[in-house]
Amino acid sequence: RRSWAEPYKIKVVEPLKITTRAEREQAIAQAGYNTFLLRSEDVYIDLLTDSGTSAMSDYQWAGMMLGDEAYAGSKNFYNLEASIQKYYGYRHIVPTHQGRGAENILSQILIKPGDYIPGNMYFTTTRLHQELAGGTFVDVIIDEAHDAQSLHPFKGNVDLQKLTDLIERVGAERIPYISVAGTVNMAGGQPISMANLRAVHQLAQTYGIRIILDATRAVENAHFIQQREEDYSSQAIATILREFCSYTDGCTMSGKKDALVNIGGWLALNDYNLYEEARNLIVIYEGLHTYGGMAGRDMEAMARGIEESVQDDHIRARVGQVEYLGQKLLDWGIPIVVPIGGHAIYLDAKRFLPQIPQDQFPAQRLAAELYLEAGIRAMERGIVSAGRNKETGDNYYPELELVRLTIPRRVYTQAHMDLTAEAVEEVYHNRDRLRGLKMIYEPKYLRFFQARFELQ
Ligand SMILES: Cc1ncc(COP(=O)(O)O)c(/C=N/[C@@H](Cc2ccccc2)C(=O)O)c1O
């Protein structure tokens, strides 16, 4: 079997600074043991997020020079609209500055106080916008998704019984839409199968309930459908993506992931009346309905990024790099979430640091230690990210206590992956000496972004 190599070559590079351990000890202490509060210049390999951190192509950079910065009616908007309609298949497009812009508008037009929004596992910003609009998120994902060691090939699947039970319990009129994410970030970048989405669509239709897709990483989801569902093994990614979206009534999108841009997003809706409401809110929160918080150049870069993102060799290489890192760690016995996800490797901090109880933030501690070891920045995806129950104020105690090593698209080489694996292995080798943290500052919303900690 011939070795695998990236389907691109590198033309522009950004030199990286390599820090000393002493410098990193000072930096992480000043950052309150929160990797979000580190300065980028103090980070060597930045695996915090795949959001907005991908490398653009020459084709996208050329598009930046074609920015039509007219306030209204920019030609780049119409290029973006056409690209989304072509590749995602939705009828009406409302541009937003990023995913949260779309989540804010969607929640305001569809959710009323007392509503319930079922979804395949929570996502932090999505759930918060649902709650701010007076809704309650209800997790209807299959149980296997909460088990880091389950090898279920589609952990993002909806449990149709859980969904039916909720609808029967609260009534379809209290459910403005079903929120489906493909892939599921908090489960480890886990896909939902086409068969399951089709079944959810059929169930939703019998009750007249809409489905809104979080399409942020839907191209990666299409890759797993192509690899793991036999009916799709010979279909192109672009074809799979179109069918996937056709089972939903609209989508929110953070273009900062699959669509290969540093800023951008959209809300897509097939229903004209909903679109009209969303379009009207855009002029309050995002700017005009033909730019939605983006410059013309950003819209052009995203129109072109969408086209590139659905190319089979691009997405195979992208997910292939994640699999390369994950397989190395599995071979060395490092506890990670399986199956390996689409955009990141998730270290299982519960198995990695069993000596640290969850309320002393094991994943937060592990992310800090990986930075100390090698200047590699990862993200906590455990009890800190799970936040507090909005009614009781108590901490959620999620099954999954994870550290996410998130791989930006077209940025790092295999050598960076090798070094990352070696650093993780080194931390694993010395894991017994690690102790917990205590939270000394807790923000009200999405605390993981700005919380500060001290060593126990
Ligand atoms: C499945 C899914 N849906 C919507 C959004 C919002 O999109 P946007 O507003 O960022 O454009 C995101 C953003 N995910 C980023 C950034 C992030 C966001 C919250 C907490 C930690 C990190 C990440 O996973 O790193 C997402 O993953």
Side-chain angles (χ1 to χ4, degrees):
R1 203 166 73 90
R2 181 63 56 86
S3 289
W4 160 89
E6 290 82 2
Y8 55 79
K9 62 183 181 181
I10 293 167
K11 173 157 51 181
V12 174
V13 297
E14 291 177 48
L16 295 173
K17 185 178 96 181
I18 299 182
T19 51
T20 64
R21 173 124 196 163
E23 287 166 337
R24 295 195 293 274
E25 275 162 4
Q26 189 178 12
I28 198 70
Q30 282 171 358
Y33 287 83
N34 185 347
T35 52
F36 275 103
L37 303 180
L38 285 167
R39 289 171 173 257
S40 161
E41 66 178 2
D42 294 331
V43 173
Y44 174 44
I45 300 177
D46 199 347
L47 304 182
L48 180 77
T49 178
D50 64 327
S51 182
T53 56
S54 299
M56 292 210 291
S57 66
D58 50 357
Y59 179 57
Q60 286 178 286
W61 278 106
M64 297 287 273
M65 300 313 293
L66 301 173
D68 172 4
E69 302 310 338
Y71 189 87
S74 163
K75 66 172 180 290
N76 310 117
F77 168 73
Y78 299 104
N79 293 344
L80 174 61
E81 182 184 54
S83 189
I84 298 167
Q85 288 170 334
K86 177 178 179 184
Y87 291 106
Y88 289 83
Y90 298 108
R91 268 201 292 281
H92 307 299
I93 311 304
V94 175
T96 62
H97 75 284
Q98 60 182 72
R100 268 158 272 188
E103 293 173 339
N104 174 33
I105 304 297
L106 176 76
S107 301
Q108 290 196 45
I109 61 174
L110 278 186
I111 298 172
K112 56 186 185 307
D115 279 355
Y116 293 88
I117 304 92
N120 53 343
M121 200 178 283
Y122 87 99
F123 185 70
T124 52
T125 58
T126 317
R127 182 178 65 186
L128 179 58
H129 281 290
Q130 292 164 351
E131 293 177 349
L132 291 174
T136 298
F137 170 79
V138 178
D139 187 4
V140 293
I141 203 165
I142 57 173
D143 291 343
E144 290 87 341
H146 292 278
D147 173 357
Q149 299 180 73
S150 162
L151 282 166
H152 192 295
F154 288 104
K155 284 180 165 181
N157 281 357
V158 168
D159 181 320
L160 298 174
Q161 194 54 56
K162 289 182 184 175
L163 178 55
T164 304
D165 291 349
L166 176 73
I167 298 170
E168 294 299 326
R169 178 162 65 84
V170 306
E173 66 286 349
R174 301 289 292 280
I175 300 174
Y177 63 97
I178 301 161
S179 174
V180 173
T183 61
V184 179
N185 198 346
M186 301 306 285
Q190 304 294 318
I192 178 172
S193 71
M194 189 76 87
N196 182 256
L197 183 57
R198 193 184 302 119
V200 174
H201 171 68
Q202 282 155 2
L203 176 63
Q205 281 207 307
T206 60
Y207 288 101
I209 299 174
R210 296 182 196 88
I211 300 175
I212 300 293
L213 173 69
D214 180 337
T216 299
R217 297 183 186 85
V219 180
E220 292 174 4
N221 202 110
H223 169 79
F224 288 117
I225 289 171
Q226 188 186 67
Q227 299 297 312
R228 298 176 184 169
E229 274 187 276
E230 74 271 11
D231 299 355
Y232 296 91
S233 58
S234 57
Q235 284 200 27
I237 290 293
T239 308
I240 295 170
L241 179 65
R242 276 290 304 249
E243 182 186 345
F244 190 72
C245 295
S246 74
Y247 296 123
T248 68
D249 301 282
C251 79
T252 57
M253 176 66 179
S254 173
K256 299 171 76 166
K257 289 76 164 173
D258 272 353
L260 295 162
V261 288
N262 304 124
I263 191 72
W266 69 78
L267 171 62
L269 292 162
N270 286 333
D271 177 291
Y272 183 79
N273 296 326
L274 282 182
Y275 161 66
E276 203 175 10
E277 280 187 68
R279 189 181 60 182
N280 197 225
L281 288 185
I282 285 297
V283 299
I284 301 171
Y285 295 100
E286 300 286 317
L288 196 69
H289 52 280
T290 56
Y291 76 81
M294 291 177 278
R297 57 180 175 270
D298 294 324
M299 292 191 283
E300 188 61 32
M302 190 153 70
R304 296 175 176 216
I306 291 166
E307 213 177 308
E308 292 183 10
S309 73
V310 301
Q311 301 309 313
D312 283 60
D313 61 1
H314 159 72
I315 196 66
R316 189 181 310 115
R318 188 279 183 290
V319 180
Q321 187 172 44
V322 179
E323 280 166 3
Y324 174 83
L325 175 59
Q327 196 52 57
K328 251 188 190 291
L329 295 176
L330 285 175
D331 292 347
W332 292 348
I334 310 283
I336 65 172
V337 173
V338 290
I340 297 167
H343 65 297
I345 298 302
Y346 291 69
L347 305 179
D348 183 350
K350 274 189 183 170
R351 283 186 286 154
F352 205 116
L353 299 172
Q355 73 273 23
I356 300 182
Q358 198 170 17
D359 61 9
Q360 292 182 26
F361 316 112
Q364 193 77 30
R365 180 67 186 85
L366 181 51
E369 191 61 23
L370 187 56
Y371 171 72
L372 281 166
E373 176 62 34
I376 295 169
R377 175 155 68 169
M379 186 193 289
E380 192 270 5
R381 299 274 76 180
I383 183 171
V384 180
S385 300
R388 295 177 179 275
N389 181 302
K390 65 174 179 151
E391 260 88 40
T392 66
D394 295 337
N395 278 319
Y396 286 113
Y397 286 83
E399 276 303 303
L400 296 173
E401 178 73 18
L402 310 175
V403 171
R404 191 183 71 176
L405 304 177
T406 336
I407 314 302
R409 295 164 187 79
R410 311 190 297 196
V411 167
Y412 292 111
T413 67
Q414 198 157 294
H416 291 113
M417 298 299 107
D418 291 339
L419 189 147
T420 298
E422 289 160 21
V424 170
E425 207 284 329
E426 185 67 20
V427 170
Y428 190 67
H429 184 71
N430 301 315
R431 64 190 184 281
D432 296 344
R433 61 180 176 74
L434 298 182
R435 292 292 166 268
L437 294 168
K438 61 177 181 292
M439 199 185 297
I440 57 173
Y441 165 62
E442 180 176 1
K444 181 169 178 355
Y445 296 114
L446 300 174
R447 63 184 182 182
F448 52 88
F449 280 128
Q450 298 154 339
R452 301 181 72 82
F453 303 82
E454 267 177 2
L455 293 175
Q456 278 287 11

